[in-house]
Every structure is written in structure tokens, then in C-alpha cells.
Amino acid sequence: MASDQLVEFVRELYQTNEFIPLHAPTFNGNEKAYVADTIDSTFVSSVGKYVAQFENHIASFTGSPRAVATVNGTAALHTALHIAGVTRGDLVITQALTFVATCNAIYHMGAEPLFIDVSPISLGLCPKAMDLYLQEHAELTEQGCIHRETKQTIKAAVPMHTFGHPVELDELVAVCEKWHIALVEDAAESLGSYYKGRHTGTFGQCSALSFNGNKIITTGGGGMVLCASDDLGQRAKHVTTTAKVPHPYEFYHDEPGFNYRMPNLNAALGYAQMEVLESYLAKKRHLAQQYQAFFANSDVRFITEPAYASSNYWLNAILCPDQETRNTLLSETNDAGVMTRPIWQLMHRLPMFKHALRGDLTQSEFIEAHLVNLPSTPISG
Ligand SMILES: *Cc1c(COP(=O)(O)O)cnc(C)c1O
């Protein structure tokens, strides 16, 4: 695949000779009206009607009993891990192939990540690799799943739905149940992605969404904790609002809390974005089909949704035949004003996670060396 052919194709898709970003937000709905409404009402901060409206819309869209808005996706993950019972010194299984926020949330619980390989089908946490690692290194005791060598508790597993492609959830749920490990989905990239018809982020007790500026919908910055029951939702709300016990005027807080509330200003933007999400999803699916057709007879493999899933195709991605082709493609497309990106460097290469425990990471390393993300903004019209 020659870079100039790709550049020409992408310019034709977006009908522009200007710079083409990887993923830009689009505001063609009621965004301005709702945001202006928060300013007119003076309710721009944590109190205001849009927070509850946005939460309710996300809950019904995803089929979650309760959704709790937060200030960003990392805060939502931090909250979800807290609710899942992760405590200081625990191990939390996750992918080395993820955005750093997943591991930062684990770190700030006082826990440590344990890196397991990804599946070539989903690019997310591989259930087989996880089970194999646990068979070799863990045992199930009265206290839960214990790492044989370090004696730490393996408390939770955080699979991440890479670029919106759902992980193999039935198998992961089974492995988590077998080993008494809590499942916390990092669904930051997968709003609008379904596993066998069920929305991602609804398979464990709680999970996290992100509405950062580059995500499928944005609130400027924001996140959401999806909760599997009203009770868990209550706990998420409580701990993200400084654990304040409701009272007309007294200040009483019954545990160390976070101030992770999403301002009404941001929720107004999110509520308007939810009104157009379905149309974004249709446009993104169409865009992915166009890329897929373009790469059909080339030496490049376009990443498609797994057979069991419907993906939001948040970021389109290809696997190049070798690392040198990948490097050339990256530099030539970026030089030509068409933004492409490599995948994140694997987490165990970063200084703060280089000593973390890990299993075999062959698939993760292969993907790291071959993958390129392509412009993925939904095309208007
Ligand atoms: C975007 C993202 C997050 C959360 O990011 P915030 O910027 O804090 O909203 C977490 N995990 C993954 C995999 C992400 O892509």
C-alpha cells in the first residue's frame, strides 16, 4: 500500500485539501442551545437538570440500571475500581495494550497492574491467556484469588474494548467467575458497541465510559460509571460527591470521598450529543465499510468488528505487513496533512509500570509494531 494512494483516498472521503485530524468532535444539534441554557439559568456547576437528564439518557441507551456522571473517564474508572472493592496492594489484571488512563486508575487505588496479552480477534484482553496465566501463577483460597509468588490478591480484571471493538465477554465473564475476580470494563472507547446485542460496559458490577474531546461523543471532558444495580449507582454517586450524607444544611461525610462530579455545563453538551449519537454510529459504520473496501485487495489488513459484535468503529485501524511499512506510512501520511497514529506504546515500557507482573505479550507486541489508526471523524452529510 503506497501512502499517496491512501492520502488521496482519505482526501476524497473528507472532500478537503486541508489538514485532516484523527477524530474531531462535531456539533450540529442542540449543543449551543443547551449550554447557553445552563449559563442563562446560572446552574453551570454540579447542580442542574442536565446532569440527571444525561445520566438517565446514558442509562437507558446502554440498558444500565443506573449511570453516574463524572468529571472524566479516568475518574469514572477510579470510582468503578473503588466500588469493585480494589484496595491497597491488590493486583488488577489488564492489557499492556491500552491507553495509560486504565493503569493510572489502578495505580491510584494503591493497586498494581498485571499485564495479560490481548486476543487477535478483539485486540482486547484475551480470556484464554488470562486463564492460562492464572493456572500457572494463582490459586483460589478463602481470601480469593492469590498470586502464588507475591501472595497479593488478584481482585479485579479490567478488559478494554480497543477502538470500540468488544472483547470476548462470555469467556471473560466465565474466567472471572471461575477465579472469583471482579470484572470492571474500561468501556471508554465503546459507547454504542454491543456484544451479542448487549451494550458493552454492562457485564460486570460497574464500568467506565469517557466523553473526552476525541471520543465518539464529547462533553468537553467527562465520564460515566455504568452500574449494574440502583444500589451500586447510589454508592457511585455518594463516593463521587465527597461522600456527603444528604441533609438540608449539615456537612457530614461518612467515608473518604472524591469530588468527581460532572458540571451541568458539560452535561448539557453531552445531553445534546446523545440526541445525535445514533446518526454518528451510522456514519462511522459507513466510513469503516469504505475503508474496508479500499483495503480489500491490498497487503494491509483492515480491522473489522468481531463476528459476535457490533462495534462503534471509534477509531479505524489497519495492520501493516511489517514495521518498516508502518513507519513509512505514518511519516508520509502525517507529512501530507492526513493525521494517522501508531497505537499506544505498551504499558510495561513506561517507567512507572516497567516492574509490573506480566504474562506472555506476543500478540500485544505484534499489534504495537504493525498498527496504524486512520482518520475516523464521522463524515457529515
Ligand atoms: C479515553 C480513555 C480513558 C479515559 O480518558 P479520560 O481522558 O480521562 O476521559 C480511559 N481508558 C481508555 C482506554 C481511553 O481511551
Side-chain angles (χ1 to χ4, degrees):
M1 172 60 50
S3 307
D4 53 349
Q5 280 174 277
L6 177 58
V7 166
E8 195 186 328
F9 178 70
V10 175
R11 291 213 170 280
E12 207 149 288
L13 283 177
Y14 284 95
Q15 296 283 303
T16 179
N17 289 317
E18 314 266 298
F19 171 75
I20 298 173
L22 197 65
H23 202 290
T26 26
F27 304 115
N28 300 321
N30 291 314
E31 288 88 352
K32 263 192 189 163
Y34 295 169
V35 170
D37 184 34
T38 68
I39 295 170
D40 292 342
S41 73
T42 76
F43 286 98
V44 293
S45 193
S46 323
V47 177
K49 65 178 182 184
Y50 287 107
V51 176
Q53 284 180 0
F54 184 41
E55 288 177 339
N56 292 340
H57 201 158
I58 290 280
S60 69
F61 182 85
T62 57
S64 302
R66 184 82 195 269
V68 174
T70 57
V71 75
N72 60 49
T74 312
L77 256 179
H78 197 189
T79 306
L81 290 169
H82 178 83
I83 288 174
V86 173
T87 50
R88 199 160 292 280
D90 285 343
L91 289 172
V92 175
I93 288 175
T94 192
Q95 310 163 202
L97 189 91
T98 186
F99 178 58
V100 70
T102 317
C103 297
N104 285 341
I106 293 168
Y107 177 89
H108 288 296
M109 288 303 307
E112 293 167 27
L114 190 176
F115 298 121
I116 299 291
D117 210 1
V118 295
S119 147
I121 297 166
S122 69
L123 315 185
L125 188 62
C126 176
K128 271 202 204 97
M130 176 171 159
D131 192 42
L132 269 176
Y133 183 91
L134 292 170
Q135 283 178 41
E136 273 177 36
H137 297 281
E139 59 196 342
L140 206 49
T141 73
E142 305 261 289
Q143 282 76 43
C145 182
I146 305 293
H147 195 283
R148 280 210 194 102
E149 291 99 70
T150 71
K151 308 297 176 205
Q152 288 165 287
T153 306
I154 305 174
K155 190 65 73 64
V158 186
M160 196 278 281
H161 306 292
T162 307
F163 309 141
H165 301 308
V167 298
E168 291 140 274
L169 277 159
D170 283 346
E171 292 81 358
L172 271 175
V173 167
V175 175
C176 285
E177 281 176 357
K178 173 179 165 190
W179 291 95
H180 297 202
I181 291 171
L183 176 71
V184 176
E185 291 166 78
D186 182 344
E189 305 182 354
S190 67
L191 178 64
S193 294
Y194 298 82
Y195 176 85
K196 297 185 181 172
R198 180 166 155 193
H199 199 282
T200 50
T202 63
F203 286 76
Q205 297 278 289
C206 41
S207 68
L209 302 178
S210 166
F211 312 114
N212 189 36
N214 61 347
K215 294 292 176 4
I216 185 145
I217 66 162
T218 187
T219 57
M224 193 79 76
V225 187
L226 301 183
C227 302
S229 70
D230 279 334
D231 193 46
L232 288 164
Q234 211 62 33
R235 283 173 56 198
K237 197 52 146 184
H238 185 65
V239 78
T240 53
T241 55
T242 65
K244 185 178 183 298
V245 177
H247 186 279
Y249 45 83
E250 289 290 352
F251 288 96
Y252 182 72
H253 309 261
D254 61 1
E255 63 176 306
F258 305 115
N259 177 14
Y260 278 171
R261 296 169 296 179
M262 176 186 282
N264 198 41
L265 196 64
N266 302 75
L269 193 56
Y271 188 59
Q273 289 263 283
M274 277 308 283
E275 294 176 342
V276 290
L277 175 58
E278 290 287 5
S279 80
Y280 285 1
L281 289 170
K283 285 171 185 166
K284 287 181 76 71
R285 176 159 291 272
H286 181 61
L287 179 61
Q289 284 162 351
Q290 288 172 289
Y291 274 126
Q292 190 179 356
F294 175 73
F295 290 112
N297 294 310
S298 74
D299 57 355
V300 158
R301 185 159 83 78
F302 179 74
I303 308 270
T304 53
E305 64 196 358
Y308 52 72
S310 172
S311 173
N312 66 8
Y313 282 97
W314 171 54
L315 284 188
N316 291 291
I318 52 173
L319 288 172
C320 296
D322 53 66
Q323 192 166 9
E324 206 179 297
T325 312
R326 181 202 81 142
N327 295 346
T328 311
L329 198 70
L330 281 169
S331 79
E332 290 181 354
T333 49
N334 282 291
D335 282 351
V338 170
M339 187 168 166
T340 60
R341 281 286 178 269
I343 199 166
W344 318 281
Q345 287 189 38
L346 299 181
M347 290 299 110
H348 68 284
R349 302 196 200 285
L350 306 182
M352 59 287 196
F353 302 123
K354 70 178 177 197
H355 298 302
L357 293 168
R358 58 179 192 263
D360 172 78
L361 298 175
T362 305
Q363 292 295 339
S364 307
E365 284 164 0
F366 179 88
I367 293 164
E368 179 192 42
H370 292 76
L371 192 136
V372 174
N373 283 123
L374 305 171
S376 299
T377 307
I379 298 167
S380 50

